Amino acid sequence: MRVIYNTFKLCMNTLGEKPQATCPRCRTKLDLVAARIECSVCHQTFPRLGGMVCLFADPTLQVQRFRVQQAVFNLQGQESESIYEGELRKPALLGETRLRMETQLAAVRSNITEINALIDPLLAEDATGVPESAPAPSPEEVEPLIAYFELLLRDWGWSPAENDENERALALIDDVVAKAGDANATFGHVLVLGSGAGRLAYQLHVAHRPSSTTTLDIDLVLSAVAERMVRGQSLQFTEAPSDANQSARLSAERTLCAPHGAVTDFHVLLADGLNPPFADESFDTVLTPWFIDQVPPDLRNLLGVIHRVLKPGGRWINYGPLIYRKRMQLSQHFTIEEIMALAELAGFDVARTVHGEGRYLCSPLKIRGRYEISFAFCATKSSIKNARVTSDGQPSWLVLPHLPIPTFAGSTLLSHPHLVFRRVLERLNGDNSIADIASVIGKQAELNPVDLYDSIRAILIEVHPGAKSLRPTNLVLRPET
């Protein structure tokens, strides 16, 4: 633990004053190289899990979430073992069938051992300072521990000859940066949101030598492997697809390692990419790989986050196929053209987009996967002082919750019998945004602020002259008397 901490401290000291980490609860500055990381205002402490700082608003709950994920993983592993053992007791099995099932059973046991060996030291009570008895989520509330296991293999285990996804992604990013006229520009301090297992961030770091790279992800296993890889270590994992269709391809032992060895100024943090724990204008580049179509429930809310952490003139680089999760609302399945329009509304100057195509997660053992088209674009942070309007006349501040709502004459004279209306009217000062107003009302009413966005939009349509064109024609406003 002392070696890991000293390595992390040495790397973080190269960052200078920026990027500045902040408390995810109250936005107070944090010192990530301190022996004990504690917010000076709210006094929340943030544990280190190995070489990774756990920067969640409630780190105790997050550690417990990881422990529940591990417990569920082990229980499911035991159930899988029992199923294989029961099947192997059946009579009249072909010798080939028995060999296949014994191979798969051995792989299941190896996976359980390998994963636990990786995360047991990270979650130990004496390492985290979080007692096992602390409140924890139920098993139904957590995602599987190794939901994205194939990403580990793709990023660090499969050879370039077997899979070239990350190389293709980096080439596409280089292409779009060059077409934006920034081919010789430096990347400065880079923030990667939803970095996964980290190979693309690592490739970019090696190729372009930015001042620093900071990666954020909420997945413990992916992040733990990424942290080990960038420090030049190696890991052994067993690949054994349950749907293998050839006896010679039932399993393989994979050695995970970084092809260029250890790198410096590369920091793996456990944190929420939708709420980066950093001060405003901390980064020169924000990269969102395979992220905007998978993680944010509404991309419109993420645009303000990216704009906030970028320095003036900073670049947002995106890469991904725009294959949205089924649980996302249909209105949030944005096309590349819609994303470009939203980015411009959000205060970005959008350069050209490029696209490429190729195989995705095509395992060398399964020799099958999906073929997809991925998009890359580069957008530069610009001023948002002048409100922009959509193609159909909607004000940008109504569409994007982070933009300030302009004040208007007579706003202080308006009244309404409903309390929420009055709370919104009270905060129309020319600086507050929908997100700002929702944050205050949500805290007062103990509600999730994001759930209030559409209600506040409806109120603004009713009262704000800038949204008059969206108002029902029979609506009459009542000034205060």
Side-chain angles (χ1 to χ4, degrees):
M1 178 63 73
R2 176 59 59 183
V3 172
I4 292 174
Y5 168 67
N6 286 338
T7 301
F8 182 81
K9 182 173 181 178
L10 176 63
C11 293
M12 288 301 292
N13 280 339
T14 66
L15 289 178
E17 294 196 7
K18 286 194 175 181
Q20 176 60 61
T22 58
C23 173
R25 298 180 62 170
C26 67
R27 296 297 179 194
T28 302
K29 292 181 180 180
L30 291 177
D31 179 7
L32 296 189
V33 301
R36 174 183 169 87
I37 305 171
E38 180 177 358
C39 176
S40 61
V41 174
C42 70
H43 301 293
Q44 176 65 61
T45 58
F46 300 93
R48 288 186 177 86
L49 307 189
M52 305 172 292
V53 180
C54 188
L55 280 178
F56 292 90
D58 189 342
T60 295
L61 181 63
Q62 189 62 41
V63 169
Q64 288 294 76
R65 181 179 297 276
F66 292 147
R67 287 172 175 163
V68 172
Q69 286 180 311
Q70 183 183 18
V72 172
F73 166 75
N74 286 327
L75 179 61
Q76 292 174 340
Q78 293 169 9
E79 291 172 350
S80 294
E81 286 185 84
S82 297
I83 291 172
Y84 276 110
E85 290 167 349
E87 294 276 332
L88 282 166
R89 287 193 290 269
K90 289 184 175 181
L93 292 179
L94 287 176
E96 294 86 346
T97 302
R98 183 173 299 280
L99 177 61
R100 169 176 59 82
M101 297 190 66
E102 288 174 344
T103 301
Q104 291 173 325
L105 173 58
V108 168
R109 290 169 172 163
S110 293
N111 274 154
I112 295 172
T113 300
E114 293 157 356
I115 295 295
N116 282 309
L118 175 70
I119 65 175
D120 273 345
L122 307 181
L123 299 179
E125 186 171 324
D126 59 349
T128 65
V130 177
E132 300 275 359
S133 58
S138 66
E140 294 75 23
E141 296 178 278
V142 302
E143 287 195 352
L145 182 68
I146 57 169
Y148 306 103
F149 183 70
E150 280 189 313
L151 298 184
L152 298 177
L153 303 173
R154 177 199 68 185
D155 280 10
W156 307 107
W158 298 338
S159 70
E162 294 173 317
N163 187 282
D164 64 347
E165 281 182 51
N166 284 290
E167 287 75 12
R168 284 189 284 109
L170 182 61
L172 208 60
I173 288 172
D174 287 343
D175 186 24
V176 77
V177 170
K179 288 180 177 177
D182 293 338
N184 298 319
T186 61
F187 281 71
H189 294 289
V190 178
L191 175 66
V192 186
L193 303 180
S195 54
R199 177 63 178 270
L200 180 57
Y202 172 86
Q203 293 284 97
L204 186 145
H205 190 85
V206 170
H208 294 285
R209 300 185 180 277
S211 303
S212 70
T213 297
T214 301
T215 66
L216 306 185
D217 207 286
I218 64 173
D219 190 294
L220 177 61
V221 172
L222 296 183
S223 299
V225 170
E227 199 270 336
R228 297 279 288 271
M229 296 298 101
V230 300
R231 289 198 286 112
Q233 299 183 8
S234 63
L235 292 166
Q236 300 291 325
F237 280 105
T238 304
E239 179 182 5
S242 59
D243 55 350
N245 53 18
Q246 298 180 50
S247 297
R249 298 177 179 272
L250 293 176
S251 68
E253 298 300 317
R254 301 292 188 187
T255 298
L256 277 58
C257 63
H260 306 287
V263 291
T264 58
D265 303 317
F266 195 111
H267 321 294
V268 180
L269 301 181
L270 287 163
D272 185 357
L274 301 181
N275 184 30
F278 286 92
D280 296 357
E281 302 182 357
S282 283
F283 294 93
D284 302 283
T285 303
V286 170
L287 174 64
T288 51
W290 294 286
F291 184 72
I292 65 173
D293 54 348
Q294 292 294 302
V295 177
D298 189 337
L299 175 60
R300 296 176 299 174
N301 302 341
L302 177 65
L303 293 176
V305 172
I306 297 172
H307 198 278
R308 178 184 70 79
V309 297
L310 274 175
K311 297 176 183 178
R315 293 178 299 184
W316 169 30
I317 301 172
N318 180 74
Y319 176 85
L322 303 183
I323 299 176
Y324 295 90
R325 290 192 178 191
K326 293 181 179 180
R327 69 187 185 195
M328 298 175 71
Q329 296 182 15
L330 295 177
S331 60
Q332 313 306 331
H333 290 204
F334 299 112
T335 64
I336 187 63
E337 292 80 9
E338 291 173 84
I339 294 171
M340 296 299 94
L342 287 170
E344 290 179 356
L345 285 177
F348 289 97
D349 293 330
V350 182
R352 294 179 59 183
T353 65
V354 298
H355 70 273
E357 54 188 64
R359 298 180 301 173
Y360 174 76
L361 283 183
C362 186
S363 165
L365 292 186
K366 294 191 295 185
I367 321 182
R368 59 175 177 263
R370 76 179 187 224
Y371 194 85
E372 64 184 24
I373 296 176
S374 293
F375 296 90
F377 62 80
C378 179
T380 304
K381 176 178 176 177
S382 60
S383 171
I384 57 173
K385 292 181 180 179
N386 297 322
R388 305 180 184 186
V389 179
T390 67
S391 59
D392 58 348
Q394 297 183 66
S396 55
W397 49 262
L398 188 68
V399 177
L400 299 169
H402 72 284
L403 297 181
I405 305 164
T407 189
F408 59 92
S411 62
T412 58
L413 300 177
L414 292 177
S415 182
H416 197 281
H418 197 288
L419 177 61
V420 176
F421 266 75
R422 295 200 300 273
R423 292 287 182 264
V424 172
L425 293 172
E426 290 169 358
R427 287 166 177 79
L428 295 180
N429 59 5
D431 294 322
N432 284 331
S433 63
I434 289 175
D436 295 329
I437 296 172
S439 178
V440 173
I441 296 176
K443 185 176 294 184
Q444 293 172 341
E446 296 184 349
L447 296 172
N448 184 350
V450 175
D451 294 338
L452 300 173
Y453 286 0
D454 281 345
S455 297
I456 294 173
R457 287 187 174 109
I459 292 172
L460 292 171
I461 289 173
E462 181 172 333
V463 303
H464 202 294
K468 184 177 180 180
S469 62
L470 306 173
R471 192 178 302 159
T473 56
N474 61 347
L475 181 67
V476 178
L477 296 180
R478 180 170 61 86
E480 188 173 31
T481 58

